[in-house]
Amino acid sequence: QVQLVESGGGLVQAGGSLRLSCAFSGRTFTFNSYNMGWFRQDPGKEREFVAVIDWSGGTTVYADSVKGRFTISRDNAVTTVYLQMNSLKPEDTANYFCAADRIQYRLGVPSGVPSEFGSWGQGIQVIVYS
């Protein structure tokens, strides 16, 4: 029932910025009960955690590789989670996935492993060139 659709990816020069959006639909009335996260994956490699925001929007956690450059946020009124990516590096090139927590109203945030999330978008490509 939960559908997640990413948008905003593309090709960008190193040092530039992109903002990814993830639209939550199907059960929009429950969006504010889910922690939301972003992951990324390059071909042949494991999916890695990028950032997570709790259902209230009051707590965020970032991977060390993106701290200070990426910002996760959410707008519960429009059931959308965002990932603002600044100072992009070629190492940020990957397919980016939006994900919703596997349970509702989790206290705190889940650990940064894909198995803690129950719903996923199809992914969107980000390519950073230099």
Side-chain angles (χ1 to χ4, degrees):
Q1 290 183 309
V2 174
Q3 293 182 325
L4 302 174
V5 180
E6 302 95 339
S7 62
L11 183 68
V12 65
Q13 188 174 19
S17 299
L18 285 174
R19 186 179 70 170
L20 303 182
S21 298
C22 173
F24 179 109
S25 64
R27 295 190 294 169
T28 58
F29 56 93
T30 64
F31 175 75
N32 66 351
S33 69
Y34 289 100
N35 300 320
M36 300 293 297
W38 286 97
F39 292 76
R40 64 188 183 186
Q41 186 173 21
D42 262 334
K45 296 186 177 182
E46 294 184 358
R47 189 165 298 185
E48 66 173 346
F49 167 76
V50 175
V52 65
I53 186 167
D54 77 335
W55 53 267
S56 73
T59 301
T60 57
V61 179
Y62 297 91
D64 288 341
S65 59
V66 305
K67 284 182 178 178
R69 300 188 298 119
F70 291 11
T71 302
I72 187 171
S73 62
R74 68 191 298 159
D75 187 340
N76 289 345
V78 295
T79 63
T80 301
V81 63
Y82 305 96
L83 185 68
Q84 178 67 46
M85 304 184 294
N86 298 327
S87 302
L88 283 163
K89 305 175 181 179
E91 305 92 273
D92 297 317
T93 295
N95 291 315
Y96 283 72
F97 297 85
C98 175
D101 201 341
R102 62 181 176 85
I103 62 173
Q104 295 173 277
Y105 295 112
R106 185 195 296 261
L107 297 178
V109 295
S111 59
V113 296
S115 61
E116 293 297 325
F117 294 80
S119 300
W120 294 84
Q122 294 186 18
I124 191 166
Q125 189 173 46
V126 172
I127 300 175
V128 184
Y129 66 92
S130 61

